[in-house]
Amino acid sequence: MDIYTETILDHYQHPHHAGALGKPTISTTEHNPLCGDVIRLDLKINKDTVEEIGFVGNGCAISQASMSMLADYVEGKKISVLKKLKPKDIYNLLGITISPGRTKCALLGLNALQKNLH
Amino acid sequence: MQNIKSDFPILKRKINGKALIYLDNASTTQKPKTVLKALVDFYSTSNANIHRGIHTISEEATDKYEEVRKKVAKFIGATEEEIIFTKSATESINCVAVAWGQKHINAGDEIIVSALEHHANLVPWQELAKNKKAILKIIPLTANYILDTDAYQKLLSAKTKLVCVTAQSNVTGTITPVKKIVEMAHIVGAKVMVDGAQSVGHTPTNLTSLGCDFFAFSAHKMMGPTGVGVLYIRSDLMNEMTPFMYGGEMIESVQEKSATYRTGHWKFEAGTPNIAGVVAYGAAIDYINKIGLKNIADHDKELLAYAKKMLARYPQVKVFSPSKPQDTGAVLSFAIDGVHPHDIATIFNDHGIAIRSGLHCAEPLLQKLGAPNGTARLSFYIYNTKKDIDTVEIALKKVLKIFKL
Ligand SMILES: Cc1ncc(COP(=O)(O)O)c(C=O)c1O
């Protein structure tokens, strides 16, 4: 079972949407106290749509790649659609099997997004 | 240390199709067959509550339990009256913070802790200091990961009431000069709490010669069961301490609205303890005595040197370890720039290797070491071999390959 696929490593080493936004509509920071992983997630929202997304993070390959892939998905989507995202959708994006010990890493980005949208 | 692996049933396990290589001994150690047998035997033949029944098996259980108290005392150079059974090193330290600290620490007093402490020997003192408006001071490290004893000397004063120090770090493996630290503290009249969780199962301990006031450790880090801890309190200090918990066993006599308490170590053991665990812990001490602590310490040193030499072949790897072997126990932390420690641990696990990664319950220390994401940690015990370290090297090469380093 190899979770370090080329795609995941590429997102980890060259994250998409990296960097804070100049004037975010909302911004939250999400921590994983167990391992110290952290993501600050900024969203620029226009009416009902996420127009722009940016994040600053520090953590393991799984948490950071997962955030980067989620960010690709989020940009341009309607809030009502994003609110419906489930852990399963994140695992599908990642395309790997996540062991119970690493679910918190995989879902850190999703948790940050959900915190922002509520 | 030939054929020792066969004494440990769990080491026959396969992880991801590979033989389990257990290198997370600083977290907890594996248990030999004799300890497992002692647990089953106790529950099969002598299970009863202690110190209460006058029936045969209650007396047997009491004898077996008290036998281990003597064994522990002998193992660490103390007397049995100075040994209190708790559930863990953490509980032992908290007991001192409450039973001694509440009474003896006042506003403006100073508590000194070392920069190497596990949260278990740091957070209880932060809390006590906060509640009593006392001041917490930290002994810094040198660039070589050892305690700066000159800086410690400067922190000591008549205001110092307590010094808390680990005998061995669970992150850097640093062995601290406990005897010297105690002597220096006693000159200013301060008491010393030593956290022996990482040292007791690896190197001989003689508390009479160390001279410390309190000493705490856990059975599970020395091949005993989980749920058993030890607290040593020097006998002359018992009377100035209040009970830590109240209930059965620790009382002398109870009326409806008041009670009197037993003296000595009895007043700290309220309620039914982990009787079977303590009895099986006795088997763990027997096992260690049979191998010999000196042999264990030598084996640790040999593996540590071998592992350090291996890691030194990879310039991408940074180790956090004192340079001198005599300053270092069976723990070796390292980090790789560009790879999170959890990712190292995941790839190691694919090779059947169990290691700890992250902050090791010592967050302030990891910040100071410049490793805010933590480290990957190899920690050894008697059943580990050089071959285990060779497998670590294979896994390490895989990490570097995956992350293109
Ligand atoms: C140095 C040190 N002190 C204290 C502890 C706490 O031990 P326990 O969790 O058994 O109470 C540990 C265990 O991780 C340790 O390594």
Side-chain angles (χ1 to χ4, degrees):
Chain A
M1 176 196 71
D2 195 1
I3 65 170
Y4 298 100
T5 58
E6 281 297 323
T7 327
I8 285 184
L9 277 164
D10 197 48
H11 276 275
Y12 174 57
Q13 292 178 330
H14 312 282
H16 304 180
H17 307 279
L21 297 186
K23 282 194 185 125
T25 320
I26 25 178
S27 170
T28 39
T29 302
E30 186 72 5
H31 290 270
N32 178 352
L34 226 61
C35 51
D37 285 8
V38 57
I39 282 174
R40 172 191 156 170
L41 183 63
D42 293 353
L43 299 178
K44 193 173 278 174
I45 292 173
N46 189 358
K47 289 192 202 103
D48 55 353
T49 305
V50 173
E51 217 171 54
E52 208 185 341
I53 180 167
F55 79 96
V56 184
N58 179 23
C60 67
I62 304 304
S63 73
Q64 302 305 304
S66 159
M67 183 66 249
S68 168
M69 290 162 124
L70 178 62
D72 279 347
Y73 175 84
V74 163
E75 208 162 81
K77 290 279 186 319
K78 281 208 158 55
I79 290 172
S80 56
V81 174
L82 296 175
K83 276 188 171 172
K84 289 198 195 109
L85 279 175
K86 295 268 174 323
K88 203 172 100 262
D89 302 313
I90 302 297
Y91 303 147
N92 285 342
L93 273 181
L94 286 165
I96 53 172
T97 315
I98 293 292
S99 72
R102 300 302 290 272
T103 53
K104 282 218 170 65
C105 315
L107 299 180
L108 189 65
L110 179 64
N111 291 341
L113 179 68
Q114 284 171 341
K115 221 168 153 188
N116 257 343
L117 297 179
H118 282 102
Chain B
M1 303 283 154
Q2 304 259 299
N3 297 326
I4 278 200
K5 277 197 196 236
S6 63
D7 288 343
F8 295 79
I10 200 170
L11 298 179
K12 292 195 186 75
R13 261 203 76 166
K14 294 265 189 291
I15 304 293
N16 296 317
K18 312 263 169 50
L20 167 63
I21 293 176
Y22 188 78
L23 287 169
D24 193 14
N25 294 289
S27 291
T28 195
T29 58
Q30 299 304 343
K31 323 302 173 199
K33 280 181 208 155
T34 49
V35 169
L36 304 177
K37 183 170 182 298
L39 269 177
V40 174
D41 284 354
F42 179 79
Y43 280 124
S44 312
T45 62
S46 311
N47 180 47
N49 214 324
I50 52 170
H51 302 134
R52 332 189 156 177
I54 48 167
H55 56 79
T56 302
I57 53 173
S58 173
E59 283 182 347
E60 267 176 37
T62 305
D63 283 350
K64 285 180 198 287
Y65 185 87
E66 290 304 322
E67 216 32 67
V68 179
R69 198 191 302 275
K70 290 193 191 114
K71 217 173 253 180
V72 171
K74 190 155 173 244
F75 193 73
I76 59 174
T79 63
E80 62 183 287
E81 292 78 23
E82 295 170 313
I83 302 299
I84 292 145
F85 286 120
T86 62
K87 82 173 167 64
S88 61
T90 302
E91 185 175 285
S92 298
I93 295 167
N94 275 274
C95 174
V96 176
V98 173
W100 183 85
Q102 288 295 343
K103 208 166 146 185
H104 292 86
I105 298 292
N106 296 303
D109 286 349
E110 294 182 359
I111 301 172
I112 297 178
V113 303
S114 96
L116 289 171
E117 298 316 302
H118 185 281
H119 295 164
N121 200 24
L122 171 62
V123 183
W125 309 119
Q126 292 176 343
E127 200 56 30
L128 182 67
K130 195 169 77 193
N131 291 338
K132 295 286 184 175
K133 300 196 165 51
I135 297 149
L136 204 62
K137 300 210 155 171
I138 316 285
I139 312 172
L141 295 183
T142 69
N144 190 29
Y145 309 109
I146 60 175
L147 285 185
D148 184 339
T149 40
D150 292 339
Y152 168 53
Q153 178 69 67
K154 293 200 186 95
L155 292 177
L156 286 166
S157 75
K159 286 189 195 149
T160 314
K161 290 291 162 337
L162 181 69
V163 175
C164 305
V165 69
T166 187
Q168 190 205 296
S169 160
N170 66 316
V171 177
T172 57
T174 308
I175 293 169
T176 61
V178 174
K179 192 170 171 153
K180 190 166 156 196
I181 289 170
V182 172
E183 282 168 5
M184 288 162 74
H186 283 175
I187 289 173
V188 299
K191 302 282 183 279
V192 182
M193 162 92 242
V194 178
D195 174 357
Q198 292 295 338
S199 66
V200 171
H202 289 268
T203 188
T205 303
N206 186 330
L207 295 189
T208 309
S209 121
L210 275 188
C212 63
D213 303 278
F214 311 106
F215 192 92
F217 54 102
S218 287
H220 71 90
K221 290 186 200 282
M222 48 190 294
M223 297 185 278
T226 52
V228 176
V230 176
L231 171 61
Y232 157 91
I233 301 176
R234 221 188 43 237
S235 54
D236 56 307
L237 295 169
M238 298 250 178
N239 285 342
E240 1 169 323
M241 294 172 68
T242 52
F244 165 56
M245 289 196 291
Y246 298 84
E249 308 258 26
M250 51 78 66
I251 47 83
E252 194 178 61
S253 109
V254 180
Q255 294 76 44
E256 257 179 5
K257 297 201 169 172
S258 66
T260 53
Y261 311 122
R262 295 172 76 178
T263 53
H265 65 280
W266 301 111
K267 81 176 166 200
F268 301 107
E269 291 184 3
T272 302
N274 185 350
I275 305 167
V278 167
V279 171
Y281 178 36
I285 295 177
D286 292 342
Y287 188 84
I288 290 179
N289 283 334
K290 204 177 84 198
I291 292 170
L293 274 170
K294 174 80 176 56
N295 290 330
I296 295 177
D298 289 348
H299 180 70
D300 287 346
K301 293 257 180 288
E302 197 179 327
L303 287 184
L304 182 82
Y306 190 74
K308 273 181 107 163
K309 211 167 133 196
M310 183 275 286
L311 290 180
R313 288 198 284 272
Y314 299 88
Q316 305 92 323
V317 173
K318 176 172 169 52
V319 299
F320 302 85
S321 177
S323 56
K324 290 191 191 137
Q326 68 264 33
D327 289 336
T328 323
V331 169
L332 184 56
S333 267
F334 67 94
I336 302 171
D337 217 15
V339 190
H340 194 281
H342 287 342
D343 294 319
I344 300 176
T346 297
I347 294 165
F348 275 33
N349 188 56
D350 290 342
H351 290 76
I353 304 166
I355 61 160
R356 175 92 184 257
S357 57
L359 304 173
H360 315 295
C361 300
E363 228 177 298
L365 174 59
L366 273 300
Q367 296 288 352
K368 254 174 240 140
L369 294 177
N373 285 337
T375 65
R377 180 185 72 186
L378 310 173
S379 53
F380 317 109
Y381 214 9
I382 47 163
Y383 32 76
N384 294 120
T385 59
K386 287 186 177 168
K387 205 166 145 241
D388 292 349
I389 313 285
D390 294 340
T391 311
V392 168
E393 183 168 16
I394 294 171
L396 177 65
K397 280 184 180 153
K398 185 74 190 282
V399 172
L400 298 174
K401 183 162 172 249
I402 288 177
F403 284 84
K404 305 186 177 76
L405 295 169

mmCIF file of all heavy atoms in Angstrom, chain A residues 49-73:
data_model
loop_
_atom_site.group_PDB
_atom_site.id
_atom_site.type_symbol
_atom_site.label_atom_id
_atom_site.label_comp_id
_atom_site.label_asym_id
_atom_site.label_seq_id
_atom_site.Cartn_x
_atom_site.Cartn_y
_atom_site.Cartn_z
ATOM 1 N N THR A 49 -20.459 32.132 -4.248
ATOM 2 C CA THR A 49 -19.383 31.353 -4.867
ATOM 3 C C THR A 49 -18.014 31.691 -4.259
ATOM 4 O O THR A 49 -17.759 32.862 -3.935
ATOM 5 C CB THR A 49 -19.337 31.640 -6.383
ATOM 6 O OG1 THR A 49 -20.635 31.373 -6.904
ATOM 7 C CG2 THR A 49 -18.320 30.760 -7.097
ATOM 8 N N VAL A 50 -17.170 30.684 -4.110
ATOM 9 C CA VAL A 50 -15.790 30.932 -3.674
ATOM 10 C C VAL A 50 -15.001 31.365 -4.907
ATOM 11 O O VAL A 50 -14.764 30.574 -5.822
ATOM 12 C CB VAL A 50 -15.155 29.677 -3.047
ATOM 13 C CG1 VAL A 50 -13.670 29.925 -2.757
ATOM 14 C CG2 VAL A 50 -15.881 29.285 -1.777
ATOM 15 N N GLU A 51 -14.585 32.635 -4.892
ATOM 16 C CA GLU A 51 -13.928 33.171 -6.076
ATOM 17 C C GLU A 51 -12.428 32.853 -6.048
ATOM 18 O O GLU A 51 -11.816 32.573 -7.070
ATOM 19 C CB GLU A 51 -14.129 34.685 -6.103
ATOM 20 C CG GLU A 51 -14.334 35.230 -7.486
ATOM 21 C CD GLU A 51 -14.749 36.691 -7.393
ATOM 22 O OE1 GLU A 51 -14.033 37.487 -6.738
ATOM 23 O OE2 GLU A 51 -15.811 37.021 -7.935
ATOM 24 N N GLU A 52 -11.867 32.916 -4.827
ATOM 25 C CA GLU A 52 -10.434 32.687 -4.716
ATOM 26 C C GLU A 52 -10.132 32.003 -3.386
ATOM 27 O O GLU A 52 -10.806 32.237 -2.383
ATOM 28 C CB GLU A 52 -9.703 34.029 -4.795
ATOM 29 C CG GLU A 52 -8.298 33.913 -5.355
ATOM 30 C CD GLU A 52 -7.555 35.248 -5.309
ATOM 31 O OE1 GLU A 52 -8.211 36.306 -5.194
ATOM 32 O OE2 GLU A 52 -6.318 35.211 -5.373
ATOM 33 N N ILE A 53 -9.092 31.155 -3.390
ATOM 34 C CA ILE A 53 -8.708 30.452 -2.169
ATOM 35 C C ILE A 53 -7.192 30.510 -2.020
ATOM 36 O O ILE A 53 -6.465 30.481 -3.019
ATOM 37 C CB ILE A 53 -9.212 28.991 -2.199
ATOM 38 C CG1 ILE A 53 -8.822 28.234 -0.918
ATOM 39 C CG2 ILE A 53 -8.686 28.224 -3.418
ATOM 40 C CD1 ILE A 53 -9.545 26.902 -0.760
ATOM 41 N N GLY A 54 -6.728 30.654 -0.794
ATOM 42 C CA GLY A 54 -5.285 30.624 -0.534
ATOM 43 C C GLY A 54 -5.038 29.992 0.819
ATOM 44 O O GLY A 54 -5.869 30.099 1.716
ATOM 45 N N PHE A 55 -3.935 29.284 0.956
ATOM 46 C CA PHE A 55 -3.650 28.705 2.279
ATOM 47 C C PHE A 55 -2.172 28.764 2.614
ATOM 48 O O PHE A 55 -1.307 28.802 1.739
ATOM 49 C CB PHE A 55 -4.190 27.274 2.396
ATOM 50 C CG PHE A 55 -3.323 26.214 1.738
ATOM 51 C CD1 PHE A 55 -2.408 25.491 2.497
ATOM 52 C CD2 PHE A 55 -3.442 25.928 0.383
ATOM 53 C CE1 PHE A 55 -1.621 24.504 1.906
ATOM 54 C CE2 PHE A 55 -2.649 24.956 -0.213
ATOM 55 C CZ PHE A 55 -1.736 24.238 0.537
ATOM 56 N N VAL A 56 -1.921 28.817 3.922
ATOM 57 C CA VAL A 56 -0.562 28.731 4.429
ATOM 58 C C VAL A 56 -0.565 27.570 5.409
ATOM 59 O O VAL A 56 -1.383 27.545 6.327
ATOM 60 C CB VAL A 56 -0.154 30.019 5.180
ATOM 61 C CG1 VAL A 56 1.298 29.938 5.600
ATOM 62 C CG2 VAL A 56 -0.404 31.237 4.317
ATOM 63 N N GLY A 57 0.278 26.597 5.178
ATOM 64 C CA GLY A 57 0.224 25.416 6.043
ATOM 65 C C GLY A 57 1.586 24.884 6.380
ATOM 66 O O GLY A 57 2.593 25.225 5.754
ATOM 67 N N ASN A 58 1.570 24.039 7.406
ATOM 68 C CA ASN A 58 2.794 23.352 7.788
ATOM 69 C C ASN A 58 2.389 22.002 8.342
ATOM 70 O O ASN A 58 1.538 21.924 9.227
ATOM 71 C CB ASN A 58 3.531 24.173 8.862
ATOM 72 C CG ASN A 58 4.804 23.484 9.311
ATOM 73 O OD1 ASN A 58 5.368 22.656 8.583
ATOM 74 N ND2 ASN A 58 5.247 23.803 10.513
ATOM 75 N N GLY A 59 2.953 20.951 7.784
ATOM 76 C CA GLY A 59 2.593 19.629 8.293
ATOM 77 C C GLY A 59 3.078 18.533 7.379
ATOM 78 O O GLY A 59 3.947 18.762 6.528
ATOM 79 N N CYS A 60 2.497 17.358 7.557
ATOM 80 C CA CYS A 60 2.964 16.188 6.822
ATOM 81 C C CYS A 60 2.489 16.221 5.374
ATOM 82 O O CYS A 60 1.646 17.037 4.994
ATOM 83 C CB CYS A 60 2.466 14.917 7.509
ATOM 84 S SG CYS A 60 0.690 14.713 7.427
ATOM 85 N N ALA A 61 3.032 15.326 4.572
ATOM 86 C CA ALA A 61 2.707 15.284 3.142
ATOM 87 C C ALA A 61 1.217 15.089 2.930
ATOM 88 O O ALA A 61 0.621 15.691 2.030
ATOM 89 C CB ALA A 61 3.490 14.154 2.471
ATOM 90 N N ILE A 62 0.594 14.264 3.769
ATOM 91 C CA ILE A 62 -0.823 13.956 3.568
ATOM 92 C C ILE A 62 -1.691 15.187 3.837
ATOM 93 O O ILE A 62 -2.573 15.528 3.046
ATOM 94 C CB ILE A 62 -1.257 12.776 4.469
ATOM 95 C CG1 ILE A 62 -0.365 11.549 4.217
ATOM 96 C CG2 ILE A 62 -2.719 12.428 4.254
ATOM 97 C CD1 ILE A 62 -0.323 11.072 2.778
ATOM 98 N N SER A 63 -1.444 15.887 4.944
ATOM 99 C CA SER A 63 -2.297 17.040 5.265
ATOM 100 C C SER A 63 -2.108 18.161 4.242
ATOM 101 O O SER A 63 -3.076 18.802 3.823
ATOM 102 C CB SER A 63 -2.030 17.544 6.689
ATOM 103 O OG SER A 63 -0.790 18.207 6.780
ATOM 104 N N GLN A 64 -0.884 18.384 3.813
ATOM 105 C CA GLN A 64 -0.623 19.514 2.914
ATOM 106 C C GLN A 64 -1.061 19.208 1.482
ATOM 107 O O GLN A 64 -1.635 20.060 0.802
ATOM 108 C CB GLN A 64 0.857 19.915 2.981
ATOM 109 C CG GLN A 64 1.325 20.292 4.388
ATOM 110 C CD GLN A 64 0.498 21.380 5.055
ATOM 111 O OE1 GLN A 64 0.337 22.476 4.508
ATOM 112 N NE2 GLN A 64 -0.073 21.100 6.227
ATOM 113 N N ALA A 65 -0.829 17.975 1.030
ATOM 114 C CA ALA A 65 -1.268 17.608 -0.318
ATOM 115 C C ALA A 65 -2.790 17.613 -0.394
ATOM 116 O O ALA A 65 -3.391 18.055 -1.376
ATOM 117 C CB ALA A 65 -0.723 16.234 -0.695
ATOM 118 N N SER A 66 -3.407 17.125 0.669
ATOM 119 C CA SER A 66 -4.856 17.073 0.705
ATOM 120 C C SER A 66 -5.449 18.481 0.619
ATOM 121 O O SER A 66 -6.424 18.731 -0.100
ATOM 122 C CB SER A 66 -5.269 16.342 1.988
ATOM 123 O OG SER A 66 -6.560 16.650 2.343
ATOM 124 N N MET A 67 -4.834 19.435 1.327
ATOM 125 C CA MET A 67 -5.304 20.823 1.269
ATOM 126 C C MET A 67 -5.123 21.393 -0.140
ATOM 127 O O MET A 67 -6.011 22.060 -0.672
ATOM 128 C CB MET A 67 -4.531 21.673 2.286
ATOM 129 C CG MET A 67 -4.978 23.125 2.369
ATOM 130 S SD MET A 67 -6.657 23.334 2.993
ATOM 131 C CE MET A 67 -7.529 23.907 1.552
ATOM 132 N N SER A 68 -3.978 21.107 -0.731
ATOM 133 C CA SER A 68 -3.681 21.631 -2.069
ATOM 134 C C SER A 68 -4.690 21.090 -3.104
ATOM 135 O O SER A 68 -5.209 21.838 -3.938
ATOM 136 C CB SER A 68 -2.252 21.241 -2.443
ATOM 137 O OG SER A 68 -1.999 21.472 -3.805
ATOM 138 N N MET A 69 -4.994 19.796 -3.015
ATOM 139 C CA MET A 69 -5.940 19.201 -3.964
ATOM 140 C C MET A 69 -7.349 19.723 -3.724
ATOM 141 O O MET A 69 -8.104 19.993 -4.668
ATOM 142 C CB MET A 69 -5.918 17.672 -3.820
ATOM 143 C CG MET A 69 -4.618 17.058 -4.318
ATOM 144 S SD MET A 69 -4.435 15.382 -3.661
ATOM 145 C CE MET A 69 -4.241 14.486 -5.159
ATOM 146 N N LEU A 70 -7.692 19.891 -2.443
ATOM 147 C CA LEU A 70 -9.017 20.419 -2.115
ATOM 148 C C LEU A 70 -9.156 21.855 -2.639
ATOM 149 O O LEU A 70 -10.208 22.233 -3.162
ATOM 150 C CB LEU A 70 -9.229 20.360 -0.588
ATOM 151 C CG LEU A 70 -10.544 20.908 -0.056
ATOM 152 C CD1 LEU A 70 -11.728 20.124 -0.602
ATOM 153 C CD2 LEU A 70 -10.572 20.869 1.481
ATOM 154 N N ALA A 71 -8.076 22.626 -2.509
ATOM 155 C CA ALA A 71 -8.113 24.019 -2.964
ATOM 156 C C ALA A 71 -8.404 24.093 -4.465
ATOM 157 O O ALA A 71 -9.199 24.926 -4.913
ATOM 158 C CB ALA A 71 -6.793 24.715 -2.625
ATOM 159 N N ASP A 72 -7.777 23.201 -5.244
ATOM 160 C CA ASP A 72 -8.064 23.137 -6.685
ATOM 161 C C ASP A 72 -9.559 22.931 -6.925
ATOM 162 O O ASP A 72 -10.160 23.541 -7.804
ATOM 163 C CB ASP A 72 -7.312 21.953 -7.335
ATOM 164 C CG ASP A 72 -5.862 22.295 -7.628
ATOM 165 O OD1 ASP A 72 -5.517 23.500 -7.552
ATOM 166 O OD2 ASP A 72 -5.083 21.374 -7.933
ATOM 167 N N TYR A 73 -10.130 22.053 -6.130
ATOM 168 C CA TYR A 73 -11.541 21.705 -6.301
ATOM 169 C C TYR A 73 -12.460 22.862 -5.905
ATOM 170 O O TYR A 73 -13.457 23.141 -6.569
ATOM 171 C CB TYR A 73 -11.860 20.453 -5.460
ATOM 172 C CG TYR A 73 -13.317 20.072 -5.467
ATOM 173 C CD1 TYR A 73 -13.856 19.307 -6.503
ATOM 174 C CD2 TYR A 73 -14.169 20.497 -4.452
ATOM 175 C CE1 TYR A 73 -15.196 18.980 -6.528
ATOM 176 C CE2 TYR A 73 -15.513 20.172 -4.455
ATOM 177 C CZ TYR A 73 -16.031 19.414 -5.486
ATOM 178 O OH TYR A 73 -17.353 19.091 -5.516
#
